[in-house]
Amino acid sequence: MLRLDDLQLFVRTAECGSLSAAARLLECSPAVASAALKRLERQLQTRLLVRSTRSLRLTAEGEQFLVHARAALVSLEEGRQALHGARAEIGGVLQLAAPSDFGRNVLLPWLDDFQLEHPGLTLRLLLSDHVADLFRAPVDIALRYGEPEDSSLVALPVAPGNRRVLFAAPGYFARQGKPRQVEDLARHNCLLYMLGGRVHDQWRFTAGRRLLEAKVSGDRLSDDADVVRRWALAGRGLSYKSWLDVAGDLAAGRLELALEELRGEAAPLNLICAHRAQLSEPVRLLQAFLRQRCAELLARAPWAERPA
């Protein structure tokens, strides 16, 4: 009979890529953790992990078994919740990854409110613009802009109508003037963002059915979207980012839109997970909660339909 704690140890080790890190998460000693993995491999009669003094990786059999181990743990947790009426009061640990700018400046206060509604829930939040490997990273779900490139991932829509907008601080526009057409961007200092080694310096807009684009440049570049937003707030240049990231600053007058008659690129926000088995009640409640909050921000977007 496979032991539950051995399965938990194996899954956490695969996610962390480290036996000692998994042991710390589960509050046991490295020796106990090592013994648990050996016991599990012995019961399965197969090698799950290849370990050395410097690295740890899953074998092909380990990759295959990890899917079933995760599903088993999720199923057991759902059974436990059902017995305790968890649909009325959810609990447990929810591990969430989110983009840096949206996470720090929008999501944090929302999560405070979400936990007030569900005080039995523990949140673990990882903020980074680097795309987390959901099959290995110690997260259950991730908030991501854009559609997932991996079709095997499960995407739950949070803000499907979100778009990018062009903006800068009022002080920047006072000094440099506002662009009146896309071609004007060539003479502006554009604050650039880099993701996955690629610089996003091709800014695209639509006017009806026409596609308008500009190759932009500037004196600042970062792989952290929060840094780009802070540069914009400081009046260092123009930026082109998700409406959700800057709606609060625009409403407060700290930033101003430009070319708002044009539509920026689509930037849908989704909750992503590796398996449908991870769509637990906390995940579904979080999706519904975030959809409502995002809808309130999107209702103020320049492309939103206004009531007659």
Side-chain angles (χ1 to χ4, degrees):
M1 178 68 70
L2 300 181
R3 290 174 46 164
L4 176 61
D5 52 347
D6 291 353
L7 290 177
Q8 290 174 324
L9 195 284
F10 167 63
V11 170
R12 288 291 176 242
T13 301
E15 291 172 343
C16 297
S18 165
L19 181 62
S20 57
R24 286 193 297 271
L25 276 175
L26 296 175
E27 299 180 344
C28 66
S29 70
V32 169
S34 180
L37 284 178
K38 289 178 182 177
R39 180 169 53 242
L40 183 60
E41 289 178 328
R42 187 166 59 250
Q43 288 178 303
L44 294 171
Q45 297 182 348
T46 190
R47 191 78 175 271
L48 299 174
L49 294 154
V50 176
R51 302 184 287 278
S52 69
T53 54
R54 293 187 177 181
S55 66
L56 179 148
R57 64 177 177 82
L58 287 166
T59 64
E61 293 80 6
E63 293 274 7
Q64 182 180 0
F65 184 68
L66 179 60
V67 175
H68 299 286
R70 277 184 170 140
L73 292 175
V74 169
S75 180
L76 288 169
E77 175 60 19
E78 288 177 346
R80 185 194 67 80
Q81 291 178 358
L83 287 174
H84 292 84
R87 294 192 179 274
E89 182 176 338
I90 62 172
V93 178
L94 182 61
Q95 301 180 113
L96 171 67
S100 65
D101 193 358
F102 180 79
R104 290 188 182 95
N105 301 298
V106 182
L107 183 63
L108 279 180
W110 289 0
L111 289 179
D112 288 341
D113 294 340
F114 186 68
Q115 275 193 295
L116 283 175
E117 292 181 14
H118 308 288
L121 188 67
T122 298
L123 286 169
R124 290 179 181 165
L125 180 63
L126 282 71
L127 296 181
S128 173
D129 288 324
H130 298 287
V131 177
D133 183 344
L134 292 176
F135 293 97
R136 294 184 177 275
V139 296
D140 300 313
I141 51 173
L143 275 168
R144 288 183 185 168
Y145 284 119
E147 300 299 335
E149 295 181 0
D150 186 343
S151 60
S152 68
L153 297 174
V154 179
L156 303 177
V158 172
N162 185 50
R163 292 182 176 273
R164 299 185 187 279
V165 288
L166 183 69
F167 59 88
Y172 175 83
F173 286 138
R175 296 191 309 272
Q176 303 296 332
K178 280 192 176 185
R180 301 300 175 189
Q181 54 189 0
V182 171
E183 290 76 13
D184 292 345
L185 296 180
R187 65 176 180 80
H188 281 270
N189 189 46
C190 296
L191 306 171
L192 300 179
Y193 173 64
M194 179 172 63
L195 179 65
R198 184 171 73 87
V199 178
H200 289 256
D201 57 0
Q202 201 79 18
W203 293 0
R204 297 179 177 87
F205 305 83
T206 55
R209 295 185 177 181
R210 286 193 305 139
L211 174 64
L212 308 171
E213 54 187 334
K215 175 85 169 179
V216 299
S217 61
D219 63 2
R220 299 191 179 208
L221 166 70
S222 178
D223 65 349
D224 189 314
D226 186 39
V227 170
V228 175
R229 173 183 157 278
R230 289 170 187 265
W231 283 338
L233 286 168
R236 304 303 181 188
L238 279 172
S239 188
Y240 184 55
K241 282 173 49 57
S242 158
W243 166 265
L244 294 175
D245 290 354
V246 295
D249 292 316
L250 290 163
R254 293 185 290 269
L255 294 171
E256 292 180 2
L257 289 175
L259 301 181
E260 58 262 49
E261 70 278 7
L262 302 179
R263 287 200 174 195
E265 283 187 297
L269 184 65
N270 295 293
L271 266 177
I272 308 293
C273 64
H275 310 284
R276 290 205 168 271
Q278 292 172 291
L279 301 183
S280 61
E281 188 67 7
V283 170
R284 294 184 188 279
L285 288 172
L286 180 63
Q287 181 206 9
F289 176 86
L290 293 178
R291 281 199 74 147
Q292 178 60 38
R293 292 298 177 96
C294 287
E296 293 169 5
L297 292 184
L298 289 171
R300 309 201 308 253
W303 63 86
E305 293 185 4
R306 302 292 188 263

